[in-house]
Amino acid sequence: MLLPSVSETLAPVGRHAALEAVVSALGRGSRLERLTGLTETAKALVSAQVAAELRRPVVVVVPSGAVAEQSAATLQFFFTALAGQEASEVAILPALDAFPWQEVAPHPEILERRAVALWRYASGMTRVLVAPVAAARMRFSDASFYASQARTVVRDQDVPLDELVAHLRRVGYERQEMVEMPGQFTVRGGIVDVFPAEADRPVRLELLGDTVESLREFDPDTQRSVGPIERVILPPLMEQPSNGFSPGEQGADRSGTAGRAHSLFDLREDTLLIFHEPQEIQKAADDLLDHAEQSRQTLGDGSVPAVASYFFAEEWEAELTPHARLELEQLPIAREGIEPHTMQTQPTSRYHGNAPAFMADARARIAAGERVLLAAGNLGELERYVDLCHEYEVPYRVGEIEENVTSARLAEDSTAGSVPAVVLVRAPVRDGVVFPDSHLAIFGTEDLFETLPAAAPSRRRPKTASFFGDFAELKPGDY
């Protein structure tokens, strides 16, 4: 849990004159605002501040999937700190790694992430959706379709077995002999085991006739019950049935566009669009659509045209027009239309492990009246920061507390009291940024320790996966 010291440290950014002017204009109904001078980390903080201030659905469009992953993680941290919202309030909509008309299906994990993100956003559970332009320019079904793709099962509810199984199949769950991984289910008489997407454990439903008599989580390794629950949500694993991918079926509609007449921006009312680097977004979109058209042409005239899956230039502009838009850029590039506001930011220095110089910089900034936040990549780095603050006599506060001994000890050991101090917190902020006008410096995880990016969370694998993996690692001469 983040403590108030984090939001208090970030607060001066929200009081910057340029940002206040932008938020005020958007609140009064302005359709287009520009804010320049921002580094990547500054864009994430500004986006979080705008979303927290205006309290409306936000779609953040970025040039690529890699930028989306980093921006979303950083934005999620800032949004949690500023708005006090849970992490689920920010989600990523990844782009497909195959075109809908190609004879190859996208990666299942991409389909699952898209399905869950669209369901959560259309249902109102996610307020900020981060999307690379390749995902944002696709055509979509309406919000009611995505909101209906998940199903909630409650104890003592009437749920016909055939109807439940049909729903699981329709939204992408696979029937197996034993449930071991998310997205699997099995049926044995009136007992249904299912491992919901996003869940930590699978769930066992016991039906008496059509009535759910009990719901219990169970351990997928031992298959033994862990404890009873009152309800379970079964999120979708596919964006829509078959997702338009039907390889090998002659004459099949491979467009995946049945009922897809809407843009991503139509899924919620009063949506605010935030574009990170509009010119880079436009270049990425042009490359995408050129590639799409080339791919379509290689399939011949019988293929579904790319225009059935994506919004091209004229239609794209028509989709943007009804929505308020904020464009965030680093360089104040001259463009016709609107004069930009400027918010000066600059990257922090990199110290490459030089702890004395790093701590001297932090101490000097505190002495000069600046606010300083140090982002740690993990709990070990947070402990290291605490040790460095003790060693170099820099007052500090820990900006988080968790239900574990180490976190509680670090919070209790804070040396600052009521004096100005650096704030230490675990945060996925890779690149540091300085806001000179706001007297704020945020040091990123790579400024001192050069932390490697966190690996994506691994998904559970069947027990046989490691067995076959052992064979894959054999080399000639092994026995």
Side-chain angles (χ1 to χ4, degrees):
M1 179 181 69
L2 295 179
L3 298 177
S5 57
V6 177
S7 60
E8 292 167 2
T9 301
L10 301 175
V13 172
R15 297 193 290 269
H16 191 284
L19 184 53
E20 284 187 328
V22 166
V23 171
S24 177
L26 292 170
R28 295 194 307 269
S30 172
R31 311 311 291 175
L32 178 62
E33 294 293 325
R34 291 179 63 202
L35 187 60
T36 65
L38 304 174
T39 67
E40 289 301 317
T41 299
K43 291 172 200 163
L45 177 51
V46 166
S47 298
Q49 183 70 49
V50 171
E53 288 275 348
L54 295 180
R55 299 180 178 274
R56 55 200 281 193
V58 174
V59 175
V60 179
V61 181
V62 298
S64 69
V67 174
E69 296 288 343
Q70 180 60 40
S71 297
T74 307
L75 196 160
Q76 178 176 287
F77 166 75
F78 288 136
F79 189 64
T80 301
L82 295 171
Q85 301 294 330
E86 297 181 356
S88 59
E89 287 279 339
V90 179
I92 300 175
L93 180 68
L96 295 173
D97 59 350
F99 291 117
W101 53 85
Q102 290 180 315
E103 294 284 347
V104 59
H107 193 284
E109 186 173 343
I110 292 178
L111 296 180
E112 177 185 336
R113 292 181 67 193
R114 284 177 60 87
V116 172
L118 288 168
W119 159 62
R120 297 188 70 87
Y121 182 69
S123 302
M125 291 181 284
T126 290
R127 193 193 305 180
V128 181
L129 191 64
V130 182
V133 67
R137 292 194 72 151
M138 291 196 74
R139 296 175 180 270
F140 294 86
S141 298
D142 61 21
S144 62
F145 172 82
Y146 297 113
S148 68
Q149 293 304 287
R151 178 158 187 169
T152 301
V153 178
V154 182
R155 191 167 64 85
D156 296 329
Q157 177 186 21
D158 284 344
V159 179
L161 178 60
D162 292 344
E163 180 183 315
L164 177 61
V165 170
H167 172 79
L168 290 172
R169 288 185 178 279
R170 182 171 63 84
V171 297
Y173 287 78
E174 296 181 354
R175 188 165 182 169
Q176 302 289 341
E177 291 296 322
M178 182 181 294
V179 169
E180 297 179 303
M181 299 173 62
Q184 296 179 341
F185 77 97
T186 187
V187 180
R188 299 186 305 276
I191 299 176
V192 180
D193 290 350
V194 59
F195 204 144
E198 297 193 312
D200 294 327
R201 295 190 184 96
V203 174
R204 181 162 292 146
L205 298 78
E206 296 187 23
L207 300 174
L208 182 61
D210 287 342
T211 303
V212 180
E213 189 175 44
S214 82
L215 284 170
R216 301 180 69 86
E217 290 185 322
F218 68 91
D219 187 318
D221 295 323
T222 65
Q223 297 290 304
R224 291 185 176 181
S225 296
V226 174
I229 57 176
E230 289 298 314
R231 64 177 60 229
V232 61
I233 299 176
L234 305 174
L237 295 174
M238 291 197 309
E239 187 175 335
Q240 76 182 40
S242 299
N243 211 62
F245 295 86
S246 307
E249 296 181 16
Q250 295 296 324
D253 177 10
R254 297 192 301 269
S255 69
T257 59
R260 294 190 178 211
H262 303 272
S263 81
L264 181 63
F265 315 137
D266 297 332
L267 298 185
R268 298 275 291 276
E269 294 183 0
D270 198 26
T271 300
L272 170 66
L273 313 183
I274 300 181
F275 279 35
H276 289 194
E277 299 297 339
Q279 291 196 330
E280 292 184 20
I281 288 172
Q282 184 59 53
K283 182 180 183 305
D286 292 342
D287 292 344
L288 165 76
L289 297 178
D290 287 345
H291 185 201
E293 187 59 23
Q294 291 172 12
S295 170
R296 185 195 67 82
Q297 290 176 359
T298 62
L299 297 178
D301 294 336
S303 65
V304 177
V307 71
S309 300
Y310 294 93
F311 287 103
F312 279 73
E314 297 80 6
E315 295 175 308
W316 176 247
E317 289 301 322
E319 293 297 329
L320 294 179
T321 300
H323 303 283
R325 185 163 86 250
L326 170 61
E327 297 181 346
L328 304 180
E329 300 170 279
Q330 184 164 12
L331 301 176
I333 300 173
R335 294 205 310 270
E336 294 183 5
I338 186 169
E339 190 68 23
H341 301 272
T342 299
M343 187 176 189
Q344 189 62 46
T345 66
Q346 59 195 47
T348 51
S349 300
R350 292 288 177 90
Y351 287 90
H352 307 290
N354 188 345
F358 178 81
M359 298 309 295
D361 187 359
R363 185 192 299 108
R365 290 181 182 277
I366 290 295
E370 293 186 36
R371 301 180 187 227
V372 177
L373 184 144
L374 306 186
N378 50 55
L379 187 58
E381 286 187 8
L382 188 64
E383 290 183 278
R384 179 61 176 143
Y385 271 139
V386 169
D387 292 340
L388 288 172
C389 287
H390 280 295
E391 181 178 353
Y392 293 96
E393 299 181 345
V394 175
Y396 74 92
R397 295 185 184 89
V398 175
E400 62 175 275
I401 187 168
E402 300 292 342
E403 294 182 358
N404 61 64
V405 175
T406 301
S407 178
R409 176 180 61 79
L410 294 178
E412 291 175 359
D413 288 347
S414 296
T415 62
S418 59
V419 302
V422 300
V423 175
L424 313 179
V425 65
R426 283 177 294 177
V429 180
R430 185 182 64 188
D431 302 313
V433 60
V434 177
F435 294 83
D437 297 336
S438 300
H439 306 291
L440 168 66
I442 301 172
F443 287 96
T445 57
E446 294 191 355
D447 287 342
L448 176 60
F449 297 120
E450 298 182 338
T451 304
L452 293 175
S458 59
R459 302 184 61 80
R460 287 185 62 92
R461 300 186 301 164
K463 296 176 183 177
T464 54
S466 59
F467 174 77
F468 290 116
D470 293 340
F471 281 97
E473 294 170 3
L474 289 176
K475 302 181 294 297
D478 290 343
Y479 61 92

